[in-house]
Every structure is written in C-alpha cells, then in structure tokens.
Amino acid sequence: MRAFPITVSAVAAALLLAACDSGGGSGSDTDTGSKNTDSTACRIGEVGLQVGPANAAPAAGDTGDVPVTLTNRGARCTLDGFPGVTLAAGGTSARVAEDKTGRPQKLTLAKGDTASFTLTYVRGKEGDGKSLAANSLKITLPGAGEGQSFKWSYGPVRGKKDAGDPDASVTAFQQAGD
C-alpha cells in the first residue's frame, strides 16, 4: 500500500515541475536575448562605406592596398570580428582570407564614429587562368548577414593555387578618427 502513495506523490511532483517550466516563454526569450550579441552588430544599411582611394598594384606581381572606411549613421553598434570580403567576376566568386597577423578587437561605434580596414591583394596577369578577373567587391559586417557590393577596378587578382583562392587578405577593423 505504501508504494502506491509514493508513486502518486512522485508523479504529482514531476507534473508540478513540468508545469512550472512550460510557461517559461519570457524566461527563454530573456536567455536568448542575453546570448545574442548580434542584436548590437553594425548593419550595412546603417553605416556608410567608402572604398578607396586605393594604392592600386600597377603591374602583375605587384601588391596593392584598398582601404575601406565605415561611418556609423545609426544607433550605437559593435564590430566584433573581421569584415567579410568577396571578390567576384561574372559567375565566379572568391572569399578573401583574414590577415592572421592581426587580431580583431571589439569596437563600439557611436553615431558618427568611424572604423577602417584594408584589403591587400597581389595583381594577377590579364587572361591568366590562375587570376580572378574581378569586377566587383562585396563587403559584409560581422554578425550581420546582408552585404553591399562595389565596383572593382584594380585589375585581376592573382590566385595562390587558382582563381578561386585569391592572393589577398583583409585586416581586422581599426578605430579611425579621434
């Protein structure tokens, strides 16, 4: 007889605990929100991007630098990581590698604050199968999915192995201005 009341008590306790947890919509929303650092990430639509002026590579084998400046036009936001940069030529695109010599730092930008990064590339030979005849550059920000495309007018980019592996790198964001 004693087994029955203990079993009923255990089941009742389990149901009470489950009932307390099932209405946890606000608790789980709070947890997700506190772990989602992307909510403060800078967004392409809320920043101004300026590509160049570049120190373009004049001939095949030369190195060129393309600075990119970002100005926050919206509410306070953060840049946490490297920018995403993709070079494209027609239907072919290639992601530019991160410069491993620098470490990204988390930057908080108030409205009007600026940050910058540099794309360094090696110019390829015109018509070479190992070079990417890039004509556009797409930039994405860390924590934000959307990107913005710009015209690439600095010549073909040499590939390390082939056109899909550009001999190029992008630095981490740096605070610019005062």
Short mmCIF file of all heavy atoms in Angstrom, two decimals, residues 42-72:
data_model
loop_
_atom_site.label_atom_id
_atom_site.label_comp_id
_atom_site.label_asym_id
_atom_site.label_seq_id
_atom_site.Cartn_x
_atom_site.Cartn_y
_atom_site.Cartn_z
N CYS A 42 26.77 46.19 -36.02
CA CYS A 42 26.57 47.23 -37.03
C CYS A 42 25.97 46.59 -38.28
O CYS A 42 26.35 45.48 -38.66
CB CYS A 42 27.90 47.89 -37.38
SG CYS A 42 28.65 48.82 -36.02
N ARG A 43 25.03 47.25 -38.91
CA ARG A 43 24.34 46.75 -40.09
C ARG A 43 24.71 47.61 -41.31
O ARG A 43 24.84 48.83 -41.19
CB ARG A 43 22.82 46.80 -39.90
CG ARG A 43 22.33 46.09 -38.66
CD ARG A 43 22.17 44.63 -38.91
NE ARG A 43 21.70 43.97 -37.70
CZ ARG A 43 22.04 42.77 -37.34
NH1 ARG A 43 22.85 42.07 -38.09
NH2 ARG A 43 21.59 42.23 -36.24
N ILE A 44 24.82 46.97 -42.44
CA ILE A 44 25.20 47.65 -43.68
C ILE A 44 24.28 48.85 -43.96
O ILE A 44 24.75 49.91 -44.35
CB ILE A 44 25.18 46.67 -44.88
CG1 ILE A 44 26.38 45.74 -44.81
CG2 ILE A 44 25.13 47.39 -46.21
CD1 ILE A 44 27.72 46.35 -45.18
N GLY A 45 22.98 48.69 -43.75
CA GLY A 45 22.04 49.77 -44.04
C GLY A 45 22.14 50.96 -43.10
O GLY A 45 21.57 52.00 -43.36
N GLU A 46 22.89 50.81 -42.00
CA GLU A 46 23.01 51.88 -41.02
C GLU A 46 24.40 52.49 -40.97
O GLU A 46 24.71 53.28 -40.09
CB GLU A 46 22.62 51.35 -39.64
CG GLU A 46 21.17 50.90 -39.60
CD GLU A 46 20.80 50.22 -38.29
OE1 GLU A 46 21.65 50.07 -37.41
OE2 GLU A 46 19.63 49.82 -38.17
N VAL A 47 25.25 52.09 -41.92
CA VAL A 47 26.60 52.65 -41.99
C VAL A 47 26.87 53.14 -43.39
O VAL A 47 26.26 52.70 -44.36
CB VAL A 47 27.68 51.61 -41.59
CG1 VAL A 47 27.47 51.12 -40.17
CG2 VAL A 47 27.74 50.46 -42.55
N GLY A 48 27.80 54.06 -43.49
CA GLY A 48 28.29 54.50 -44.79
C GLY A 48 29.63 53.81 -45.04
O GLY A 48 30.46 53.76 -44.14
N LEU A 49 29.82 53.27 -46.22
CA LEU A 49 31.08 52.62 -46.58
C LEU A 49 31.73 53.38 -47.71
O LEU A 49 31.07 53.73 -48.70
CB LEU A 49 30.84 51.18 -47.03
CG LEU A 49 30.50 50.17 -45.95
CD1 LEU A 49 30.08 48.84 -46.57
CD2 LEU A 49 31.68 49.95 -45.03
N GLN A 50 33.01 53.66 -47.57
CA GLN A 50 33.79 54.30 -48.63
C GLN A 50 34.95 53.38 -48.96
O GLN A 50 35.76 53.04 -48.09
CB GLN A 50 34.31 55.66 -48.19
CG GLN A 50 35.15 56.32 -49.27
CD GLN A 50 35.74 57.64 -48.83
OE1 GLN A 50 35.37 58.20 -47.80
NE2 GLN A 50 36.66 58.16 -49.61
N VAL A 51 35.03 52.97 -50.22
CA VAL A 51 36.11 52.11 -50.69
C VAL A 51 37.12 52.98 -51.42
O VAL A 51 36.77 53.67 -52.36
CB VAL A 51 35.57 51.01 -51.63
CG1 VAL A 51 36.70 50.16 -52.17
CG2 VAL A 51 34.55 50.15 -50.90
N GLY A 52 38.38 52.96 -50.96
CA GLY A 52 39.44 53.75 -51.58
C GLY A 52 39.53 55.13 -50.96
O GLY A 52 38.88 55.40 -49.96
N PRO A 53 40.37 55.96 -51.51
CA PRO A 53 41.18 55.76 -52.70
C PRO A 53 42.25 54.70 -52.46
O PRO A 53 42.81 54.60 -51.38
CB PRO A 53 41.79 57.11 -52.99
CG PRO A 53 41.77 57.84 -51.70
CD PRO A 53 40.63 57.28 -50.91
N ALA A 54 42.50 53.92 -53.50
CA ALA A 54 43.40 52.78 -53.38
C ALA A 54 44.81 53.10 -53.81
O ALA A 54 45.05 54.00 -54.60
CB ALA A 54 42.87 51.63 -54.23
N ASN A 55 45.72 52.32 -53.27
CA ASN A 55 47.10 52.29 -53.73
C ASN A 55 47.15 51.04 -54.62
O ASN A 55 47.58 49.98 -54.18
CB ASN A 55 48.05 52.19 -52.53
CG ASN A 55 49.48 52.05 -52.94
OD1 ASN A 55 49.85 52.34 -54.08
ND2 ASN A 55 50.30 51.59 -52.01
N ALA A 56 46.64 51.19 -55.84
CA ALA A 56 46.47 50.05 -56.74
C ALA A 56 47.80 49.48 -57.20
O ALA A 56 48.76 50.22 -57.41
CB ALA A 56 45.63 50.46 -57.95
N ALA A 57 47.84 48.18 -57.37
CA ALA A 57 49.03 47.50 -57.89
C ALA A 57 49.15 47.82 -59.37
O ALA A 57 48.23 47.52 -60.14
CB ALA A 57 48.91 46.00 -57.67
N PRO A 58 50.26 48.43 -59.82
CA PRO A 58 50.36 48.87 -61.21
C PRO A 58 50.59 47.74 -62.22
O PRO A 58 50.18 47.86 -63.37
CB PRO A 58 51.55 49.82 -61.20
CG PRO A 58 52.34 49.46 -59.99
CD PRO A 58 51.38 48.89 -59.00
N ALA A 59 51.22 46.64 -61.81
CA ALA A 59 51.53 45.58 -62.76
C ALA A 59 51.39 44.21 -62.09
O ALA A 59 51.39 44.11 -60.86
CB ALA A 59 52.96 45.76 -63.29
N ALA A 60 51.31 43.17 -62.91
CA ALA A 60 51.21 41.80 -62.39
C ALA A 60 52.36 41.51 -61.44
O ALA A 60 53.51 41.85 -61.70
CB ALA A 60 51.21 40.81 -63.55
N GLY A 61 52.01 40.91 -60.29
CA GLY A 61 53.02 40.59 -59.27
C GLY A 61 53.19 41.67 -58.22
O GLY A 61 53.76 41.42 -57.16
N ASP A 62 52.69 42.87 -58.49
CA ASP A 62 52.77 43.97 -57.52
C ASP A 62 51.65 43.86 -56.50
O ASP A 62 50.59 43.30 -56.78
CB ASP A 62 52.68 45.33 -58.22
CG ASP A 62 53.91 45.65 -59.07
OD1 ASP A 62 54.97 45.04 -58.84
OD2 ASP A 62 53.79 46.51 -59.97
N THR A 63 51.88 44.44 -55.33
CA THR A 63 50.89 44.43 -54.25
C THR A 63 50.17 45.77 -54.20
O THR A 63 50.80 46.82 -54.32
CB THR A 63 51.58 44.15 -52.90
OG1 THR A 63 52.23 42.87 -52.99
CG2 THR A 63 50.58 44.12 -51.76
N GLY A 64 48.86 45.71 -54.00
CA GLY A 64 48.06 46.90 -53.86
C GLY A 64 47.26 46.86 -52.56
O GLY A 64 47.02 45.78 -52.00
N ASP A 65 46.86 48.03 -52.09
CA ASP A 65 46.06 48.16 -50.87
C ASP A 65 44.82 48.98 -51.17
O ASP A 65 44.89 50.03 -51.80
CB ASP A 65 46.85 48.88 -49.76
CG ASP A 65 48.04 48.08 -49.30
OD1 ASP A 65 47.87 46.89 -48.99
OD2 ASP A 65 49.15 48.65 -49.23
N VAL A 66 43.69 48.48 -50.68
CA VAL A 66 42.41 49.18 -50.85
C VAL A 66 41.84 49.43 -49.46
O VAL A 66 41.35 48.50 -48.81
CB VAL A 66 41.42 48.36 -51.70
CG1 VAL A 66 40.12 49.13 -51.89
CG2 VAL A 66 42.03 47.98 -53.04
N PRO A 67 41.91 50.67 -48.97
CA PRO A 67 41.33 50.96 -47.66
C PRO A 67 39.81 51.10 -47.75
O PRO A 67 39.29 51.57 -48.76
CB PRO A 67 41.97 52.29 -47.27
CG PRO A 67 42.30 52.95 -48.57
CD PRO A 67 42.58 51.83 -49.54
N VAL A 68 39.14 50.67 -46.70
CA VAL A 68 37.68 50.80 -46.62
C VAL A 68 37.37 51.48 -45.30
O VAL A 68 37.84 51.05 -44.24
CB VAL A 68 36.98 49.43 -46.71
CG1 VAL A 68 35.47 49.59 -46.55
CG2 VAL A 68 37.32 48.73 -48.01
N THR A 69 36.59 52.55 -45.37
CA THR A 69 36.20 53.29 -44.17
C THR A 69 34.71 53.15 -43.95
O THR A 69 33.91 53.28 -44.89
CB THR A 69 36.56 54.79 -44.31
OG1 THR A 69 37.96 54.89 -44.60
CG2 THR A 69 36.24 55.56 -43.05
N LEU A 70 34.34 52.87 -42.73
CA LEU A 70 32.95 52.68 -42.33
C LEU A 70 32.57 53.80 -41.35
O LEU A 70 33.32 54.05 -40.41
CB LEU A 70 32.83 51.31 -41.65
CG LEU A 70 31.53 50.89 -41.03
CD1 LEU A 70 31.39 49.40 -41.16
CD2 LEU A 70 31.45 51.28 -39.58
N THR A 71 31.47 54.47 -41.59
CA THR A 71 30.98 55.51 -40.69
C THR A 71 29.59 55.12 -40.20
O THR A 71 28.69 54.87 -41.02
CB THR A 71 30.91 56.88 -41.40
OG1 THR A 71 32.20 57.20 -41.92
CG2 THR A 71 30.46 57.97 -40.44
N ASN A 72 29.42 55.07 -38.89
CA ASN A 72 28.12 54.70 -38.32
C ASN A 72 27.15 55.87 -38.46
O ASN A 72 27.42 56.97 -37.99
CB ASN A 72 28.28 54.32 -36.84
CG ASN A 72 26.98 53.84 -36.24
OD1 ASN A 72 26.03 53.53 -36.94
ND2 ASN A 72 26.94 53.79 -34.93
#
